[in-house]
Amino acid sequence: MTNDTPRNRAFVIAGLGIALLIAIFISPFASKNPDGLDRVSQDLKFDNKAHEDAPAKKLPFYAVFDEYALRGVPEAVATPIAGLVGTLAVFGLAWGIGKLVVRGSSSSKD
C-alpha cells in the first residue's frame, strides 16, 4: 500500500479547520428553543418532574459547561469556546482511537 501521509495530513487538517469554523462561528446562531427531548417534556407537561440530583450533574465536566456554553465566561463567547473545546476533544478522541486501531491491526498482520 502506498503512503499518502502528506495528502492525508492535509485532508485531516482541512476537515478539522472546517469543523472548528463551524463550531466557533456558526454555533452562536443555533436556536435558543428547547431541543427534542426538552420540547417533548414541555409539550407533555413532565419537564418539572426531573430529579434534582441528576446523574449528569455528577460528571466531571458539569462544573465547566452549562448546557452548550462555558460557565463563568461572557455569554457572547461562551458558546463558541464550548464549541472549540468540544470539537478539539472529539477530534483528539477520534485521532487517538484511530492510532490505536491502526497500530493494533498492523501488528496483528506481522
Side-chain angles (χ1 to χ4, degrees):
M1 180 159 54
T2 62
N3 189 359
D4 294 332
T5 303
R7 184 174 173 203
N8 289 343
R9 185 173 295 137
F11 180 73
V12 168
I13 290 171
L16 178 60
I18 291 168
L20 288 171
L21 286 173
I22 290 170
I24 294 169
F25 294 110
I26 296 180
S27 65
F29 298 106
S31 173
K32 302 293 182 200
N33 294 330
D35 61 6
L37 186 57
D38 288 334
R39 177 60 190 258
V40 170
S41 69
Q42 289 173 359
D43 289 349
L44 298 177
K45 311 248 187 289
F46 65 87
D47 56 329
N48 58 352
K49 295 182 181 180
H51 292 283
E52 291 297 322
D53 192 25
K57 293 181 180 179
K58 296 177 184 174
L59 294 174
F61 294 112
Y62 182 76
V64 179
F65 295 101
D66 179 27
E67 296 278 330
Y68 299 106
L70 203 61
R71 291 182 192 269
V73 177
E75 189 175 336
V77 295
T79 300
I81 291 175
L84 172 76
V85 170
T87 302
L88 290 175
V90 169
F91 175 78
L93 286 170
W95 183 269
I97 291 169
K99 287 293 188 182
L100 289 173
V101 169
V102 168
R103 185 179 303 142
S105 67
S106 65
S107 65
S108 65
K109 290 181 181 178
D110 292 336

